[in-house]
Amino acid sequence: MLVEIYSDIVCPWCYIGLHQFGTAIERSPHAGTLEVEFRAYQLDPRARNEPTPVWEAYVRKFGGEDAAAAVIGRITGAAAAVGLDLRLDRALRVNTFDAHRLVWLAGSGARQWDVERRLLEAYLVEGRNVADRTTLVAIGEEAGMEPADVEAALADGTGVAEVRAELASASERDVLAVPTFFFASQVGVPGAQDPDTFVKVIDRAVTRLTVDASSARSDAGGHSSGAS
């Protein structure tokens, strides 16, 4: 079953959601049937490649230092509750388009998951510039990608059209926030749900697919029998 995850590198809830979903996969009896692919989403497509402290962006977005501190405290607390350490005091707000290209270049499956996780940690924990090409090449190498290939692909525009298509598909599928999870292309499940909720969603989606496949086989058999 294909699970598509719309995510943005600068989204702390995506980091939390990825952690929660990973825990759910470990608990799910259907783990071996899941194929996970990440889809690009940009919370701020107009962000510049030149880094600015995320604190400044939060102050502007939420209308003051007190409001920004409250939001950051709430997010940091939610992350800590599931065992994650966020350092938004280090985070550098940048445009994430090229970071999404790196995720696309990683392909699918375990390596793509690893690249997504490393990018989220680079931004949310380590304070690295995830718009910087050298940084992206290094993150790709950390995940087992060939650095020369990554550098060449980022330079020659590989993945630009594909990432733009993913961004457009988010609008077409009414994705309004991230993370959003699609199970077998069905209605999206938004938010960083708890692992138990994800386990139940996976189970329902697999059951629905099994029933649909069984019905399709029955229909095909009936048509064949009637025609003979």
Side-chain angles (χ1 to χ4, degrees):
M1 180 178 69
L2 176 64
V3 182
E4 300 164 273
I5 306 176
Y6 282 88
S7 172
D8 195 8
I9 307 305
V10 298
C11 171
W13 294 108
C14 292
Y15 185 42
I16 296 169
L18 182 61
H19 173 80
Q20 299 288 73
F21 187 62
T23 300
I25 290 177
E26 292 174 356
R27 297 178 183 175
S28 172
H30 307 294
T33 70
L34 303 182
E35 177 186 355
V36 177
E37 293 187 8
F38 288 89
R39 303 284 184 246
Y41 188 93
Q42 286 194 290
L43 291 168
D44 186 5
R46 295 176 294 180
R48 299 177 299 174
N49 284 333
E50 295 76 19
T52 57
V54 76
W55 167 254
E56 296 178 5
Y58 273 53
V59 169
R60 290 194 300 271
K61 180 176 181 179
F62 296 107
E65 293 188 356
D66 289 345
V71 170
I72 289 174
R74 186 163 60 250
I75 296 170
T76 302
V82 298
L84 297 175
D85 177 34
L86 293 186
R87 292 297 307 269
L88 291 174
D89 57 311
R90 298 175 178 172
L92 300 173
R93 177 60 64 90
V94 290
N95 193 288
T96 57
F97 190 86
D98 278 352
H100 286 302
R101 288 174 63 203
L102 180 64
V103 174
W104 181 85
L105 289 167
S108 61
R111 187 167 71 175
Q112 191 186 50
W113 182 298
D114 191 24
V115 169
E116 180 80 13
R117 178 186 60 79
R118 288 177 185 274
L119 283 166
L120 287 162
E121 289 180 351
Y123 174 78
L124 293 163
V125 181
E126 300 164 359
R128 297 163 77 180
N129 178 356
V130 295
D132 176 68
R133 293 279 177 86
T134 301
T135 300
L136 294 175
V137 171
I139 291 172
E141 184 176 14
E142 291 163 12
M145 301 173 70
E146 177 57 48
D149 292 343
V150 173
E151 186 171 7
L154 291 174
D156 68 14
T158 300
V160 168
E162 288 81 1
V163 169
R164 285 177 178 165
E166 290 183 4
L167 294 170
S169 75
S171 177
E172 294 165 359
R173 300 171 85 173
D174 295 325
V175 176
L176 302 176
V178 284
T180 294
F181 300 75
F182 282 89
F183 296 83
S185 299
Q186 301 298 320
V187 176
V189 176
Q193 306 293 333
D194 64 86
D196 287 344
T197 297
F198 277 131
V199 168
K200 292 175 183 177
V201 171
I202 292 169
D203 185 63
R204 286 198 297 267
V206 170
T207 299
R208 183 171 59 244
L209 276 181
T210 302
V211 170
D212 289 347
S214 178
S215 297
R217 286 194 297 270
S218 297
D219 290 344
H223 293 156
S224 175
S225 176
S228 58

